[in-house]
Amino acid sequence: MAESATRYLYLTRHGEAAPDGSGLTADGRRQAVLLGRRLADRPIAAVHHGPLPRAAQSARLIAEQLGGGRPGNEPLGGGPLGGGWQAGAVPTVCEEAGDYVPYVPERHELPADSADYLLDFLAQSTAEERARGPELARRAVQRFTGPVAGGEDRHELVVTHAFLIGWLVRHALSAPAWRWLGLNSCNAALTVIRYTPGRPSYVLLHNDMRHLPDELCWTGFPSEARC
């Protein structure tokens, strides 16, 4: 039997996005830098991100903090992207980490008391998002989940969007396909899933914001969903 090792999959939603879609707000840049600092001592071997500007910029800011971190006296956001480049994993764009609807359930799959609400929510997405999403979701599971080949554990970061994080958490828990709905993530919050050979997958963290000060927490969530 081929040797395999544990994969640690780090998932984060991009930082707070600018209203015009051009990238991140000032708070979003701070969120990404602070997440990068949190991960600076982790042996991240790869950083993947979706193609939209808010994910690409977040990935660059996070990656700048990896592989040794910034000098201690450098101010937060000291450079145009939040600091000087450090030796670490180089961010790589991939379509599987993009923003799409991973699965659209039929009404009979949903709880009767929330089916109308969930279907109305999904109706807000575009036909393109719904059409291409299932194939991208299948490829994301294939690319990002499960143990890795070889004898060394691997740590990977995916900078993405809330829908994919919900989909991969649902997959890790072997929950019904529709149950990605309601598994939300704040901007720059951290989710970690462990895939160890011969064991069930473990969700070690979900939507963790301990690296963010209070004023940067819960962005991307409606006020009634904050706690």
Side-chain angles (χ1 to χ4, degrees):
M1 180 179 295
E3 191 174 17
S4 60
T6 296
R7 182 202 304 263
Y8 291 87
L9 183 66
Y10 301 75
L11 298 165
T12 190
R13 184 181 176 187
H14 56 81
E16 183 182 61
D20 63 2
S22 61
L24 303 178
T25 65
D27 281 351
R29 292 192 292 273
R30 289 182 62 206
Q31 289 170 330
V33 170
L34 290 169
L35 176 57
R37 291 182 182 178
R38 176 174 177 176
L39 297 175
D41 64 346
R42 308 308 300 153
I44 304 292
V47 177
H48 311 279
H49 65 83
L52 293 179
R54 57 187 181 269
Q57 187 178 9
S58 297
R60 289 196 300 270
L61 287 164
I62 294 167
E64 286 174 2
Q65 310 302 313
L66 304 179
R70 301 172 306 106
N73 59 355
E74 183 182 331
L76 177 63
L81 289 178
W85 186 261
Q86 304 294 332
V90 176
T92 302
V93 63
C94 63
E95 195 177 18
E96 295 91 340
D99 193 14
Y100 52 85
V101 176
Y103 181 78
V104 179
E106 300 290 339
R107 176 178 289 274
H108 68 83
E109 298 176 68
L110 301 170
D113 62 350
S114 56
D116 287 341
Y117 170 81
L118 294 172
L119 291 172
D120 287 347
F121 171 76
L122 289 169
Q124 299 173 39
S125 60
T126 67
E128 180 186 4
E129 288 172 332
R130 294 192 297 271
R132 68 190 183 95
E135 173 59 19
L136 289 172
R138 183 194 66 78
R139 285 163 44 189
V141 168
Q142 185 177 48
R143 179 167 186 168
F144 299 132
T145 72
V148 295
E152 294 187 5
D153 293 351
R154 183 172 175 84
H155 296 248
E156 298 180 76
L157 170 66
V158 179
V159 183
T160 182
H161 304 266
F163 288 179
L164 180 60
I165 296 172
W167 180 252
L168 295 177
V169 169
R170 177 220 65 83
H171 178 267
L173 296 175
S174 299
W178 71 268
R179 202 57 185 90
W180 68 272
L181 291 160
L183 293 172
N184 299 321
S185 292
C186 297
N187 296 123
L190 183 63
T191 292
V192 183
I193 306 173
R194 185 182 71 193
Y195 304 94
T196 298
R199 300 183 185 179
S201 50
Y202 289 85
V203 178
L204 302 179
L205 292 174
H206 180 247
N207 199 37
D208 190 284
M209 294 173 279
R210 73 184 72 179
H211 50 285
L212 300 176
D214 288 347
E215 67 271 17
L216 296 182
C217 289
W218 295 107
T219 64
F221 256 44
S223 58
E224 68 271 14
R226 304 179 184 190
C227 61

Coordinates of all heavy atoms in Angstrom, one line a residue, residues 165-207:
I165 N -16.1 27.2 1.9 CA -15.7 26.8 3.2 C -16.9 26.0 3.8 O -16.7 24.9 4.4 CB -15.4 28.0 4.1 CG1 -14.2 28.8 3.6 CG2 -15.2 27.6 5.6 CD1 -13.9 30.1 4.3
G166 N -18.1 26.5 3.7 CA -19.3 25.7 4.1 C -19.3 24.3 3.5 O -19.6 23.3 4.1
W167 N -19.0 24.3 2.1 CA -19.1 23.0 1.4 C -18.1 22.0 1.9 O -18.3 20.8 2.1 CB -18.9 23.3 -0.1 CG -18.9 22.0 -0.9 CD1 -17.9 21.4 -1.5 CD2 -20.1 21.2 -1.2 NE1 -18.3 20.3 -2.2 CE2 -19.7 20.2 -2.0 CE3 -21.4 21.3 -0.9 CZ2 -20.5 19.2 -2.5 CZ3 -22.3 20.4 -1.4 CH2 -21.9 19.3 -2.2
L168 N -16.8 22.5 2.2 CA -15.8 21.6 2.6 C -16.0 21.1 4.1 O -15.6 20.0 4.4 CB -14.4 22.2 2.4 CG -14.0 22.5 1.0 CD1 -12.7 23.2 0.9 CD2 -14.0 21.2 0.2
V169 N -16.5 22.0 4.9 CA -16.9 21.6 6.3 C -18.0 20.6 6.2 O -17.9 19.5 6.9 CB -17.3 22.8 7.1 CG1 -17.9 22.4 8.5 CG2 -16.1 23.7 7.4
R170 N -19.0 20.8 5.4 CA -20.1 19.8 5.3 C -19.5 18.5 4.8 O -19.9 17.4 5.4 CB -21.1 20.3 4.3 CG -22.2 19.3 4.0 CD -22.6 19.3 2.5 NE -21.5 18.8 1.6 CZ -21.2 17.6 1.4 NH1 -21.9 16.6 2.0 NH2 -20.3 17.2 0.6
H171 N -18.6 18.5 3.9 CA -18.0 17.3 3.3 C -17.2 16.6 4.4 O -17.3 15.3 4.6 CB -17.1 17.6 2.2 CG -16.4 16.4 1.6 ND1 -15.1 16.0 2.0 CD2 -16.8 15.5 0.7 CE1 -14.8 15.0 1.3 NE2 -15.7 14.6 0.5
A172 N -16.5 17.3 5.2 CA -15.7 16.7 6.3 C -16.5 16.0 7.3 O -16.1 15.0 7.9 CB -14.8 17.8 7.0
L173 N -17.7 16.5 7.5 CA -18.6 16.0 8.5 C -19.6 14.9 8.0 O -20.4 14.4 8.7 CB -19.4 17.1 9.2 CG -18.6 18.1 10.0 CD1 -19.5 19.3 10.4 CD2 -17.9 17.5 11.1
S174 N -19.4 14.6 6.7 CA -20.3 13.7 6.0 C -21.8 14.1 6.1 O -22.7 13.2 6.3 CB -20.1 12.3 6.5 OG -18.8 11.9 6.2
A175 N -22.1 15.4 6.1 CA -23.4 15.9 6.3 C -24.1 15.8 4.9 O -23.5 15.7 3.9 CB -23.4 17.3 6.8
P176 N -25.5 15.9 4.9 CA -26.2 16.0 3.6 C -25.7 17.1 2.7 O -25.2 18.1 3.2 CB -27.6 16.2 4.1 CG -27.7 15.7 5.5 CD -26.4 16.0 6.1
A177 N -25.8 16.9 1.4 CA -25.2 17.9 0.5 C -25.8 19.3 0.7 O -25.0 20.3 0.5 CB -25.5 17.4 -0.9
W178 N -27.0 19.4 1.1 CA -27.6 20.8 1.2 C -27.1 21.5 2.4 O -27.2 22.7 2.5 CB -29.1 20.7 1.3 CG -29.6 20.1 2.6 CD1 -29.9 18.8 2.9 CD2 -29.9 20.9 3.9 NE1 -30.3 18.7 4.2 CE2 -30.3 19.9 4.8 CE3 -29.8 22.2 4.2 CZ2 -30.7 20.3 6.1 CZ3 -30.1 22.6 5.5 CH2 -30.6 21.7 6.5
R179 N -26.4 20.8 3.3 CA -26.1 21.4 4.6 C -24.9 22.3 4.6 O -24.5 22.9 5.7 CB -25.8 20.3 5.7 CG -26.0 20.7 7.1 CD -27.4 21.3 7.3 NE -27.6 21.9 8.6 CZ -27.4 23.2 9.0 NH1 -26.9 24.0 8.1 NH2 -27.6 23.6 10.2
W180 N -24.3 22.6 3.4 CA -23.4 23.7 3.4 C -24.1 25.1 3.7 O -23.4 26.0 4.1 CB -22.7 23.8 2.0 CG -23.6 24.2 0.9 CD1 -24.4 23.3 0.1 CD2 -23.9 25.5 0.4 NE1 -25.1 24.0 -0.8 CE2 -24.8 25.4 -0.7 CE3 -23.4 26.7 0.7 CZ2 -25.2 26.5 -1.4 CZ3 -23.8 27.8 0.0 CH2 -24.7 27.7 -1.1
L181 N -25.4 25.1 3.4 CA -26.1 26.3 3.7 C -26.2 26.4 5.2 O -26.5 25.5 6.0 CB -27.6 26.1 3.1 CG -27.6 26.2 1.6 CD1 -28.9 25.6 1.1 CD2 -27.5 27.6 1.1
G182 N -25.9 27.6 5.7 CA -25.9 27.9 7.1 C -24.6 27.8 7.8 O -24.4 28.1 9.0
L183 N -23.6 27.2 7.1 CA -22.2 27.1 7.7 C -21.4 28.3 7.2 O -20.7 28.3 6.2 CB -21.6 25.8 7.2 CG -22.2 24.5 7.8 CD1 -21.6 23.3 7.1 CD2 -22.0 24.5 9.3
N184 N -21.6 29.4 7.9 CA -21.1 30.7 7.4 C -19.7 31.0 8.0 O -19.3 30.4 9.0 CB -22.0 31.8 7.8 CG -23.4 31.7 7.1 OD1 -23.5 31.2 6.0 ND2 -24.5 32.0 7.9
S185 N -19.0 31.9 7.3 CA -17.7 32.3 7.8 C -17.5 33.8 7.7 O -17.9 34.4 6.7 CB -16.6 31.6 6.9 OG -16.5 30.3 7.2
C186 N -16.9 34.4 8.7 CA -16.6 35.9 8.7 C -15.4 36.1 7.8 O -14.6 35.2 7.5 CB -16.4 36.4 10.1 SG -17.9 36.2 11.1
N187 N -15.2 37.4 7.5 CA -14.0 37.8 6.8 C -12.7 37.5 7.6 O -12.6 37.8 8.8 CB -14.0 39.3 6.5 CG -15.1 39.7 5.5 OD1 -15.9 40.5 5.9 ND2 -15.2 39.1 4.4
A188 N -11.8 36.8 7.0 CA -10.5 36.4 7.6 C -10.6 35.5 8.8 O -9.6 35.4 9.6 CB -9.7 37.7 7.9
A189 N -11.7 34.9 9.0 CA -11.8 33.9 10.1 C -11.1 32.6 9.6 O -11.0 32.4 8.4 CB -13.3 33.6 10.4
L190 N -10.7 31.8 10.6 CA -9.9 30.6 10.3 C -10.7 29.3 10.5 O -11.3 29.2 11.6 CB -8.6 30.6 11.1 CG -7.7 29.4 10.8 CD1 -7.1 29.5 9.4 CD2 -6.5 29.5 11.8
T191 N -10.7 28.4 9.6 CA -11.3 27.1 9.7 C -10.1 26.1 9.4 O -9.4 26.3 8.4 CB -12.4 26.9 8.7 OG1 -13.5 27.7 9.2 CG2 -12.9 25.4 8.7
V192 N -10.0 25.1 10.2 CA -8.9 24.1 9.9 C -9.5 22.7 10.0 O -10.3 22.3 10.9 CB -7.8 24.2 11.0 CG1 -6.7 23.2 10.7 CG2 -7.2 25.6 11.1
I193 N -9.2 21.9 8.9 CA -9.7 20.5 8.9 C -8.5 19.6 8.7 O -7.6 19.9 8.0 CB -10.6 20.3 7.6 CG1 -11.8 21.3 7.7 CG2 -11.2 18.9 7.6 CD1 -12.7 21.3 6.4
R194 N -8.5 18.5 9.5 CA -7.4 17.5 9.4 C -7.9 16.2 8.8 O -8.9 15.7 9.2 CB -6.9 17.2 10.9 CG -5.6 16.3 10.9 CD -5.2 16.1 12.3 NE -6.1 15.2 13.0 CZ -6.2 15.0 14.3 NH1 -5.3 15.6 15.1 NH2 -7.0 14.1 14.8
Y195 N -7.1 15.8 7.8 CA -7.3 14.5 7.2 C -6.2 13.5 7.4 O -5.1 13.7 6.9 CB -7.4 14.7 5.7 CG -8.5 15.7 5.3 CD1 -8.2 17.1 5.1 CD2 -9.8 15.3 5.1 CE1 -9.1 18.0 4.7 CE2 -10.8 16.3 4.7 CZ -10.4 17.6 4.5 OH -11.4 18.5 4.1
T196 N -6.4 12.6 8.3 CA -5.4 11.6 8.7 C -5.7 10.3 8.2 O -6.8 9.8 8.2 CB -5.3 11.5 10.3 OG1 -4.9 12.8 10.8 CG2 -4.3 10.5 10.7
P197 N -4.7 9.6 7.6 CA -5.0 8.2 7.0 C -5.6 7.3 8.0 O -5.2 7.2 9.2 CB -3.6 7.8 6.6 CG -2.8 9.0 6.4 CD -3.3 10.0 7.4
G198 N -6.7 6.6 7.6 CA -7.3 5.6 8.4 C -8.2 6.2 9.5 O -8.7 5.4 10.4
R199 N -8.5 7.5 9.5 CA -9.3 8.1 10.5 C -10.3 9.0 9.8 O -10.1 9.5 8.7 CB -8.5 9.0 11.5 CG -7.5 8.2 12.3 CD -6.8 9.1 13.3 NE -5.7 8.4 14.0 CZ -4.9 9.0 14.9 NH1 -5.1 10.3 15.2 NH2 -3.9 8.3 15.4
P200 N -11.5 9.3 10.5 CA -12.4 10.3 9.9 C -11.8 11.6 9.9 O -10.8 11.9 10.7 CB -13.6 10.2 10.9 CG -13.1 9.6 12.2 CD -11.9 8.7 11.8
S201 N -12.2 12.5 9.0 CA -11.7 13.9 9.0 C -12.2 14.6 10.2 O -13.3 14.3 10.8 CB -12.2 14.6 7.7 OG -13.6 14.4 7.6
Y202 N -11.4 15.6 10.7 CA -11.7 16.3 11.9 C -11.8 17.8 11.6 O -10.8 18.3 11.0 CB -10.6 16.1 13.0 CG -10.6 14.7 13.6 CD1 -9.9 13.7 13.0 CD2 -11.3 14.5 14.8 CE1 -9.9 12.4 13.6 CE2 -11.3 13.3 15.4 CZ -10.6 12.2 14.8 OH -10.6 11.0 15.4
V203 N -12.8 18.5 12.0 CA -12.9 19.9 11.9 C -12.3 20.5 13.2 O -12.9 20.4 14.3 CB -14.3 20.4 11.7 CG1 -14.4 21.9 11.7 CG2 -14.9 19.8 10.4
L204 N -11.1 20.9 13.1 CA -10.4 21.4 14.3 C -10.8 22.8 14.8 O -10.8 23.1 16.0 CB -8.9 21.4 14.1 CG -8.3 20.0 13.7 CD1 -6.8 20.2 13.4 CD2 -8.5 19.0 14.7
L205 N -11.1 23.6 13.8 CA -11.5 25.0 14.1 C -12.6 25.4 13.0 O -12.5 24.9 11.9 CB -10.4 26.0 14.0 CG -9.3 26.0 15.0 CD1 -8.2 27.0 14.6 CD2 -9.8 26.4 16.4
H206 N -13.5 26.2 13.4 CA -14.4 26.8 12.4 C -14.7 28.2 12.8 O -15.1 28.5 13.9 CB -15.7 25.9 12.3 CG -16.7 26.5 11.3 ND1 -17.9 27.1 11.6 CD2 -16.6 26.6 9.9 CE1 -18.5 27.5 10.5 NE2 -17.7 27.2 9.5
N207 N -14.5 29.1 11.8 CA -14.9 30.5 11.9 C -14.2 31.1 13.1 O -14.8 32.0 13.8 CB -16.4 30.7 12.0 CG -16.9 32.1 11.7 OD1 -16.3 32.7 10.8 ND2 -17.9 32.6 12.4

